[in-house]
Amino acid sequence: MMSHIVLNEQLQLLLLSLVPGLPLVMSCALLVKPLQGIGMRLAPWSALPALGAALLLDPGINLEVTWFFMGGRMGVDLLGQRFLLLAALVWMLSAFFGRSYLRSDPRRTSFFFFYLISMAFNFGLILAQDMLGFYLFFGLMSFSAYGLIVHTQSREARQAGKIYIVLVMVGEVLLFSGMLLMASRLPDLELTTIAATSPECVSLILLFLGFAIKAGALPMHVWLPLAHPVAPVPASAVLSGVMIKAGLLGWLRFLPVGPEMAQSGWGTIFVVMGILAAFYGVLIGLMQQEAKTVLAYSSISQMGIMTMLVGCGLLSPAFWPQVNNAVSIYALHHGLAKAALFLGVGLVVAEGGRRSVSWMMGLLLLPSLALAGLPFSSGAIAKFTVKEVVHGLPMPWSEALGLFMPLSALATMLLLCHFLKIVNGAFPRKTSISTGMLRPLLVLLAAVGGLLWFWPQLPTYAEHGADRDLLWQGLWPVLLGWGIMVVFWTWWPAGIKSSTVPAGDLLWLVYNPHDKRDGLFGKIDTQEGKGEKGIFRRIGMWMDVLEAGRGLEKKLMRWGVVGGCYLMLCLYLIFVILKI
Amino acid sequence: MIFSPGHVYGLTGLLLFIVGLAGLILCAQLLRKILAVNIMASGVFLFLVTIAHGNGVLIDPVPHAMVLTGIVVSVSSTAVALALAGRVQDMAHCRDLLKKKARGEG
Amino acid sequence: MIRLLLQGDCWLILPVILPLLGALLSFLLKKQPRLPGVLGALVTFFASAALAWKLVSHGGGRYYLGGWQPPLGISLRADGPAVLMVLMTAVTGLAVSVYAGGYFQSRINKRGEEQRHLAQERSFWPLWLLLWAALNGMFLSADIFNMYVTLELVALSSVGLTALSGKPASQVAAMRYLLVSLLGSLSFLLGVAFLYKVHGSLDLLAIGAALSLAPAVVMAMVLISVGLMLKTALFPFHFWLPPAHANALAPVSAILSGLVINGAWYLFFRFWQGVLPLVGEGAATLLAVLGGVAIVWGAYQAFCQQRLKMLVAYSTVAQIGYLFIIFPLMEMGPEQGAAAVFYFVISHSCAKAAMFLAAGTLFLQVGHDRISDLDGVRQVLPKTTFAFALGGLSLMGLPPTGGFIAKYMYLSQAVSQERWWLVAVIVAGSCLAAVYICRAVAHILSPRLVAVAGPVVVAASMEWSALALALVAMLLGFVGPLVLHLIEVAG
Amino acid sequence: MIWHDWLLVMILLSSLGPGLIIFSLAESSRASRTTLNIFGAVTKMVLVLVMILGIYRGHSFAVHFTILPGLELVLRADPLSALFVTLSSILWLFTTLYAIAYLEDSPNRSHFFGYFSLCVTVTIGIALAGNLLTFLFFFEMLTLSTYPLVVHRGTAEAMAAGKVYLVYTLAGGILLFIGVVWLHAMAGPVDFSRPGLLTPLVAGHGTTLKIIFYLLLAGVGVKAALFPLHGWLPRAMVAPAPVSALLHAVAVVKAGAFGIIRIVLDVYGLDTARTLGLLLPLMLLSSITIMYGSVRALSQDNLKRRLAFSTVSQVSYIALGISIGSPLAIMGGMVHLVHQGLMKITLFFCAGNIAETLGIHDISRMNGVGRRLPVTMAAFTLAAMGMIGLPPMAGFVSKWYLGLGALAQGQGWIVWVLVLSSLLNGAYFLPILYGAWFKEQEGEWPADSGTVGSLESHWMLIVPPVITAVVSLLVGLLANSSLSPLAWVRFIVRTGYGL
């Protein structure tokens, strides 16, 4: 990003350390009773340094902190800058939204505590320039987000939290072992070193799976549709908009790119998995009846596209910078739009009223259509950059993926239509609209609509944006999707029964998430009596032996025995001494 | 091998020792045990005196001194033994009386 | 006079004469037997200490009583082991004497039977000091007939002491003790006679130098060995020991277990030290086997006991075993073996005496010594229970105690000679000791708050003397070089 | 300089002296007892600090005392012992503070604190032991000084636990004893400062050396709670919380683990141990212990019991690190000595608070405790996270180095052990945290002793766990700084073992 204000290096470093530092300090303030009021008021602003850093810092600036943890580096690079921008915007606006949304919640302080620390760690993970720093913040963020998911303390929330935490734990150890394997072959743990290393199968699998859990890739996506709906709206927004991108960022940071990678099957795996996820998410999403669940499935589907993109980069290493560019733009677009949708749902559900339906539906329509790639929206730009990458691929891939892109847009459109219908049917009867919630949403919408237009890559799109072909390519999936859904609604007004595939789909095969038990592993022994009883029995046997010994001792006391011993011993000694 | 008087005395001494030993082990009564010990002691003393006789030419005074001392020791230990035996006897008597009394009342 | 004392070797006679004088005085001063008794103990202690100092600084020596030369005169001889035993007796004896003072005072204060306790005390002091004199005489004796005499003196005074408590059980025990020791000493005497017949000498060293395996000598060796085994209560001759030791008065138990046993064993050791090279492995192995059985059997019986003093008495039976398993080890390393076993003897003496004293204190305070009913006694008598536990540690052979050092020396001998069965015995003995001692200590030191008889009735000196003795047992864990230096001084 | 030599003795005396005086104090003289306790603890810390500075500057401290010709008690301060001494003396201070409040009105306090001081004296002795004999000497004494603490409650259960404890530790002590004597008979005095001592014997006496190693290992393994020898540890949790803290974090278990380090690194030396093939069995054993402890912990409902099994598992990390034998793994193992201590002591302090303040002993009753005891539970959470091995807690640092070391040594499977252990740790710690923080309170607390002013409990019960928790966070967070245990361990491995 072009920085118009030039900061000297000291200030830049200060800003850099404030990015995760300020939210952490604020979260600590929330723990102290007298400071809670101020803390709550200032909470959203603590993302300001991050925003500033995303906009103002020179890419490539580094802060070396040798004493910290295992020694590490924080800094901003191009990729990080975009992710930081996304994170800062979404976290900040959701926080503003949340302040109003949770106004009457008695436990909002606790919510904001977890919110702020998750935020801090999320920023930290974007800034981290070494392996362990990334891992550190990644893990911390995952665990702090648990507090957001289970905030409502409903049974569903607990169940979702349980699934989430189990997967987080598994992800943690997968990453731990993967990084360990990787680190053992590296001279140091800088990210730049990692990118240059040659791939090693086991550690790649581990890292891939570890990040896939967070990124919601198939089949590790099961926590997403369970966790997103139960969390409070601002939390869902950041979860879906920003936090799952951490998995994506992990891939980008840790997958070694090079000819060796291209020859292995990794690229294909990513691409196939991405495509599968893109359609699978839509398919299952269409069967859901709750707005936030549908959005969660949409996220799965969208993450599929990004997975596919990463796969493209692996297939042809020469394209890696473009892929990075495309992924970060797509992530930015999707994050903003998805956050806007979640906040919109929150606004509608919490505060909506009959009278304002139409314009509020309008608020939701914009990000929806953007996701489907409506021309001149952020989606269009994102998809354009994606297509540029796809076209550059070797032959079979460019064909296939060229076909895939409009189809995925169509699928997205179908799903979002489904979503809009659900929202439309779910308005409660309230009248007032809180500006505290509306304002952040509007800012977010503005960002969705306008931010990408200021992007350096825009000129390419601006050149071709008005092209007939491009226009049509963006438009027909939207229109077709709309048409299909209208037809569908007319024929089956009731929609598909929700019980067909419940939220969490594949999880049901192995585990019933509505299980009433709280313990992770079923029954817990409250006492262990068996072993001890055995010991007592043995002691009883000993007692009998002791009795026998006492009898023998009495016999030894008889004079006759003593005399016998005396003589025997005399004789024996004689024999022994004379060595007979 | 020809038995000299020395041999006879010596063997008698040893025999006495063994007889005493048998008495000590086999007799149940305390008094008999004490007497048995005295017999043993006598046996040993006899043996010592035999040694003093040696080959009959020179009489060694040392074993005599030993026997004299031994007799003193033996006398005193017999005294102690008798005193103790008396006490034990008394107690056994008392115990029997008590037992009988208890039985009679029961 | 003083010059005479400093020059000559008459230092040797003091540890024998002084307690004898004390005994006489306390016998004569019927009203106040305690004062001469304790004083006599104190003086004897200093005399013994002086003897030890003299030995270390000037080497060993001989003393002919009244200037009479052997064979008719009585000769005393001081070398390292003898003086070590004298010193051990002095330390333990002093502690026991101090304890006894408090013990009798407490008993006299306690109940209505003042006269009986007074009478007991009147008999105790002369008997005890006589015993002490006899023991010292036995250790310092150079000729084997004197050994017999002192052996008998020890036996008679111990029997008297055993019978002192007046309890029926103690009378029976004393009677049996007397008969056994008479049997033992008469066997010994017969053995002496045989030896004299062959060698025409009574001097232990002279006999040892000219030893052969003539039938008479073998006979003598057998008689002496078995007689002393009887007196040392080596398994299977241990039957008289537990009742005698457990039913006596507390100071007497300590004396019997801590000192008297060692006396008989000392003679045994002295004989075998000379004989060992002659007789070969078999006999030594036999002794060690008996010792091993004693260790296991004694520990096992100790574990079965319900009464604290019985437990401690049986523990003596077990510990005696250690005194005999050293013999096979001494064939290859006589010096190291002797050092180990003497170290064991002195630490056992202090520890065991401390334990018996402590047990006596508990008995006096609580009125019984049933182990299972002693819970919480720690709160009343912290020092005493601590002393008991510390003594127990030494028996177990745990650091930092003399027992540890002794066990260490034993084990290192056994290991370096690769006698694994002895290693097993030593280890098993330690384990078993741990089992029975922990059983008692767990109750005594139990933190459970049980109302054990109210105010403290025992004299402070009882608590302190037991503790002091236990601390000496602990201290022995640190003064190894000193002790070994003393042992190595030749005659 | 003369003070050099006496410094080590003074370090021992600084707790022994107060301990002995405390024994003789009356039950009611609370003030003087507390003063003595704290005076001793602080003095010790100051002395230890002096010692560390000395070591850092290259001074050597050693005291020799001959107990028999050829047998010496040696106290020597090398960097490794400084690590353990520092850990013990710092944690002792906190445990003492905690115990003073914890046992406020219970009987037998003089007795308790007397043994408490004795126990730490002996632990310091173990740490400073300069040869195997001295190690054995103090190691056996440790058993004796901790037993009264284990049975301090005097209940039937406590007595039974005490019996089990004695049986295990005394038996272990005997095995160690045999091993030490045997080694001494073969190789003469085994001084820790001469690790190459056994190398010439390898050729001729390989088998004997192996047997001796297993004897020694069994001896220290009992206290370190290695798998088949761990039975006493979960039972011993009936002791009061400060005692558990002491057993698990400062003294007994730690002494065992420290013993393993000493035996492998200083007695045998890595090369000899490797030549004899001793490391792999130890590695397997500790891996099994790690798994076994965690699996057993899963099914415990009693909080302290679960923590005890967790110790079984965690302490074996230390043995694991040593047995892997690469410098990084040794660092990981050694540093876990400190890390595990900090974390586990926090957990036991917290468990004690929960039991003392609310009367809760079972995990199933802990729902909603987080709101009643937020500070305590926060400390607990930090420590539990560390146990799981999440960054940036201390536990992660150990695990990371263990893993790296294992890979460097070509023992990749160790990584899976670590991974599985982390998962299991998560499985038994996370439900506790969840119940405490996110569940609603069910019914009344069994015995709520009420808040103290604005605090949730007595301040001396809160401050120690908070400090240890924060420290356990800091040692992880600042692991790379030059003052961290990791830095010291690196120093040890570099200077002490030249790795």
Side-chain angles (χ1 to χ4, degrees), chain D residues 453-466:
Chain D
S454 61
L455 288 171
E456 59 195 47
S457 186
H458 192 290
W459 69 270
M460 272 158 96
L461 292 181
I462 302 176
V463 171
V466 167

Side-chain angles (χ1 to χ4, degrees), chain A residues 66 69 146 153 158 528, chain D residues 296 300 434 440 477 480:
Chain A
T66 47
F69 197 41
Y146 178 74
Q153 301 201 327
R158 281 188 208 167
E528 300 196 346
Chain D
R296 285 297 299 277
Q300 308 300 327
Y434 168 71
E440 291 296 325
L477 202 59
N480 220 37

Side-chain angles (χ1 to χ4, degrees), chain A residues 343-365:
Chain A
L343 294 190
V345 170
L347 184 67
V348 167
V349 171
E351 307 275 358
R354 269 283 171 210
R355 275 178 300 170
S356 46
V357 169
S358 44
W359 67 268
M360 286 193 33
M361 285 305 289
L363 292 185
L364 288 178
L365 203 57

Side-chain angles (χ1 to χ4, degrees), chain D residues 246-452:
Chain D
L246 193 81
L247 287 181
H248 288 253
V250 187
V252 179
V253 177
K254 274 302 146 57
F258 182 75
I260 294 178
I261 300 180
R262 279 290 193 211
I263 288 168
V264 175
L265 293 187
D266 291 325
V267 177
Y268 277 72
L270 266 183
D271 296 332
T272 311
R274 203 172 284 138
T275 324
L276 290 170
L278 301 169
L279 293 182
L280 189 66
L282 182 58
M283 211 188 302
L284 287 173
L285 197 64
S286 38
S287 303
I288 292 170
T289 313
I290 290 172
M291 291 293 107
Y292 176 83
S294 300
V295 170
R296 285 297 299 277
L298 278 178
S299 62
Q300 308 300 327
D301 190 41
N302 185 306
L303 179 57
K304 282 175 76 181
R305 220 177 142 80
R306 187 176 286 194
L307 294 182
F309 273 112
S310 153
T311 304
V312 171
S313 158
Q314 291 279 339
V315 167
S316 285
Y317 278 11
I318 303 167
L320 184 66
I322 300 305
S323 61
I324 293 170
S326 62
L328 287 174
I330 293 177
M331 272 172 68
M334 274 189 195
V335 83
H336 204 57
L337 196 77
V338 177
H339 290 169
Q340 192 268 352
L342 285 167
M343 297 184 295
K344 194 41 73 70
I345 208 168
T346 312
L347 290 174
F348 269 105
F349 282 158
C350 295
N353 274 2
I354 294 165
E356 182 74 4
T357 315
L358 301 180
I360 295 174
H361 301 279
D362 292 339
I363 292 161
S364 49
R365 314 250 355 223
M366 274 178 67
N367 293 349
V369 165
R371 240 151 290 156
R372 171 65 182 81
L373 302 172
V375 181
T376 305
M377 278 317 290
F380 188 94
T381 307
L382 279 181
M385 293 290 192
M387 281 287 169
I388 299 171
L390 298 176
M393 301 297 301
F396 171 78
V397 180
S398 328
K399 244 176 36 179
W400 180 256
Y401 277 95
L402 280 177
L404 279 185
L407 288 170
Q409 200 66 26
Q411 303 281 355
W413 58 278
I414 296 287
V415 176
W416 307 121
V417 172
L418 297 176
V419 162
L420 215 55
S421 164
S422 284
L423 277 180
L424 289 167
N425 270 281
Y428 63 77
F429 273 123
L430 291 178
I432 304 179
L433 303 182
Y434 168 71
W437 288 116
F438 296 107
K439 277 194 186 172
E440 291 296 325
Q441 179 183 349
E442 291 167 6
E444 289 289 297
W445 306 121
D448 193 343
S449 50
T451 52
V452 183

Side-chain angles (χ1 to χ4, degrees), chain A residues 430-505:
Chain A
K430 269 188 158 185
T431 46
S432 67
I433 293 263
S434 147
T435 49
M437 286 199 279
L438 193 56
R439 245 183 252 149
L441 181 57
L442 289 176
V443 176
L444 209 49
L445 287 178
V448 171
L451 185 63
L452 285 176
W453 290 94
F454 299 103
W455 208 261
Q457 278 72 22
L458 185 68
T460 341
Y461 180 71
E463 277 172 27
H464 309 284
D467 285 4
R468 251 256 225 72
D469 278 0
L470 207 60
L471 217 56
W472 177 239
Q473 271 177 21
L475 214 51
W476 75 258
V478 176
L479 294 176
L480 184 61
W482 182 260
I484 291 175
M485 281 319 268
V486 168
V487 172
F488 181 76
W489 287 330
T490 354
W491 287 61
W492 287 284
I496 303 167
K497 273 183 196 155
S498 63
S499 60
T500 325
V501 176
D505 52 282

Side-chain angles (χ1 to χ4, degrees), chain C residues 220-250:
Chain C
M221 265 154 41
V222 168
L223 283 168
I224 288 173
S225 303
V226 178
L228 289 175
M229 277 187 210
L230 266 168
K231 284 183 153 285
T232 324
L234 175 65
F235 181 92
F237 299 130
H238 64 282
F239 67 107
W240 58 269
L241 185 145
H245 287 201
N247 289 313
L249 297 177

